[in-house]
Amino acid sequence: MRALCWEGVNDLRVESVADPIIINKKDAILKVTMSSVCGSDEHIIAGYIPTMKAGDIIGHEFMGEIVETGPEVKKLKKGDRVVVSPVISCGNCWFCQHEMHSMCDNSNDKPEIAEPVYGQAPGAIFGYTHSLGGYAGCHAQYIRVPFADTGCFVVPEGVPDDQAIFCSEAGPTGYMGAEFCDIKPGDIIAVWGCGGVGLMAQKTAFMLGAERVIGIDRIPERLKMAREHVGSETINYAEQDVLETLKEMTGGRGPDACIEAVGMESHGYSVDYALDRMKQTVRLSRDSAHSLREAIYACRKGGKVSVLGVFFMMDKFPMGAVVNKALTIRSSQVFGPKYVPRLLDHAARGEFDPSFMITHKFSLEDAPKGYELWRMKEDGCVRSVFTP
């Protein structure tokens, strides 16, 4: 089959690789019908997250058709159209039973890689380094899905692929981030980043009852999407001072909760950003965390900071602000099986349509071009999707 492979830093190639096969009795083989880029992919492509190997298939947001199942798969059958959670979870361990699926104790069969860095190994993610399992990703014609009954969700009739695809990762991640904010009526939520996850965090914050949502970015087409498709107010940080503008917009108090949806390659115009980039360039640090620091400084006293961006081991963390402002911080890789069904139900009822984020469609053979266009933010590209 054909698949998009990581062959080194900033080197993606479509290559012929072996077809996946059933390995475990709970596996399913999926014919991929659509997959999407994700902001966290950028970090592995650029080499900021270690433990990638040449030839690894990348990608973790996808949907497709079941073509084969293992003998212990009970909920799925050949021909089912499904969306797949990006995290791989067994469904039976303590963490899965408590709906913390990305913490699964059984899916990551290489815990010895992650434990020295994180203290304990998280669960596995498709196509996202060997520290998170080393599983083949979704930018391929076919993919093996372990624990298929836990990770695959049948798409309701009437929900088209263009809507369903973002019920895989961007939608659930944004939904989780908004839920972490414990939104109350009248709350003002600020979201750093108007990419896929940031837009979905803004959209679901409204769904959960926020009165006002403020999206922060510098790319005009993304800010326009936030205003026109989500209903957010926006701040262009290339033109406005974010902290001062947020104070003005909130009567001096600050947002009730802040969502960081950028991660370790955040951009800015401040001294801390310049130091981050200098350290990244010479690999003294892997994280540029300007947006997270700014979210902490901006949040009102006693507020909540929800962190959705991927980080490795950042420095210059403003713990003094967290303590003295009595902030609550919550973060995780997405609890996919908890949120995917909810969003599919919302989509089936006509309450959730994220299809506006698809700005560019490519064949799998043109996936490197789709990634380059998206990474360089050219031609108004917000999300590239691939249709093998």
Side-chain angles (χ1 to χ4, degrees):
M1 70 172 184
R2 302 287 282 171
L4 180 65
C5 300
W6 185 90
E7 292 295 352
V9 175
N10 298 320
D11 185 2
L12 298 179
R13 306 177 198 174
V14 178
E15 301 174 345
S16 294
V17 301
D19 291 350
I21 60 172
I22 296 288
I23 296 176
N24 185 283
K25 294 179 181 180
K26 297 181 179 181
D27 290 348
I29 303 298
L30 191 75
K31 179 181 179 181
V32 180
T33 55
M34 185 176 288
S35 62
S36 175
V37 302
C38 174
S40 57
D41 291 335
E42 191 162 0
H43 312 321
I44 59 173
I45 294 170
Y48 289 121
I49 300 181
T51 74
M52 289 292 289
K53 295 182 180 180
D56 285 347
I57 302 171
I58 69 168
H60 56 268
E61 181 160 41
F62 65 109
M63 62 181 299
E65 178 185 334
I66 300 291
V67 296
E68 186 181 357
T69 58
E72 293 186 10
V73 175
K74 306 300 183 184
K75 299 178 182 179
L76 305 166
K77 65 182 185 301
K78 184 177 180 179
D80 281 346
R81 183 172 66 117
V82 298
V83 161
V84 184
S85 165
V87 302
I88 302 170
S89 49
C90 72
N92 292 315
C93 70
W94 187 92
F95 294 97
C96 289
Q97 290 296 306
H98 287 78
E99 295 188 307
M100 293 185 285
H101 304 89
S102 59
M103 303 297 107
C104 178
D105 264 339
N106 296 319
S107 62
N108 187 347
D109 59 1
K110 301 177 181 179
E112 69 279 0
I113 300 177
E115 283 175 352
V117 178
Y118 303 127
Q120 293 176 301
I125 298 177
F126 290 103
Y128 212 82
T129 80
H130 288 263
S131 66
L132 296 181
Y135 289 88
C138 66
H139 296 325
Q141 291 176 296
Y142 296 89
I143 185 171
R144 179 176 76 95
V145 180
F147 304 111
D149 277 342
T150 302
C152 294
F153 301 89
V154 176
V155 180
E157 290 292 330
V159 177
D161 287 4
D162 285 7
Q163 281 184 247
I165 182 64
F166 297 122
C167 294
S168 168
E169 194 271 343
T173 303
Y175 199 150
M176 180 184 74
E179 193 168 80
F180 280 175
C181 295
D182 191 24
I183 295 171
K184 302 291 193 300
D187 275 359
I188 302 172
I189 311 299
V191 181
W192 274 254
C194 293
V197 170
L199 288 168
M200 292 297 94
Q202 293 169 47
K203 191 172 185 68
T204 52
F206 276 124
M207 290 168 58
L208 292 174
E211 180 174 318
R212 297 170 61 196
V213 177
I214 303 167
I216 301 159
D217 208 302
R218 67 184 173 97
I219 307 301
E221 53 269 20
R222 297 186 179 201
L223 292 165
K224 183 178 179 182
M225 271 192 181
R227 291 191 298 270
E228 295 184 356
H229 292 279
V230 180
S232 300
E233 302 164 61
T234 60
I235 296 174
N236 184 334
Y237 70 80
E239 301 173 353
Q240 301 163 279
D241 182 284
V242 173
L243 297 180
E244 289 302 316
T245 304
L246 283 172
K247 284 183 180 178
E248 292 173 6
M249 296 175 76
T250 60
R253 189 175 68 181
D256 297 287
C258 296
I259 300 175
E260 200 284 342
V262 182
M264 64 195 300
E265 291 183 78
S266 66
H267 177 272
Y269 299 98
S270 58
V271 173
D272 73 306
Y273 170 72
L275 289 171
D276 286 342
R277 286 297 296 140
M278 180 182 67
K279 287 186 174 183
Q280 278 185 318
T281 300
V282 296
R283 290 300 196 263
L284 289 176
S285 174
R286 296 178 182 271
D287 298 88
S288 174
H290 168 73
S291 57
L292 177 53
R293 298 186 196 103
E294 196 167 67
I296 289 170
Y297 292 136
C299 193
R300 72 158 168 82
K301 292 178 285 189
K304 297 176 176 64
V305 178
S306 172
V307 186
L308 301 179
V310 171
F311 292 93
F312 183 66
M313 198 175 289
M314 66 172 284
D315 58 18
K316 302 186 295 297
F317 185 78
M319 193 64 201
V322 174
V323 173
N324 287 290
K325 293 173 65 179
L327 300 180
T328 299
I329 297 179
R330 288 200 65 183
S331 184
S332 178
Q333 298 281 8
V334 64
F335 304 147
K338 178 178 180 179
Y339 293 101
V340 174
R342 293 190 195 180
L343 286 178
L344 287 173
D345 287 344
H346 281 298
R349 294 195 296 268
E351 300 164 353
F352 181 71
D353 181 1
S355 60
F356 65 88
M357 293 197 301
I358 299 178
T359 54
H360 293 74
K361 288 187 177 181
F362 296 90
S363 68
L364 182 60
E365 294 297 322
D366 289 330
K369 178 182 176 182
Y371 261 99
E372 183 69 11
L373 199 69
W374 167 74
R375 292 182 68 205
M376 296 298 105
K377 300 175 176 65
E378 296 175 346
D379 193 33
C381 186
V382 174
R383 278 275 170 147
S384 296
V385 297
F386 310 122
T387 52

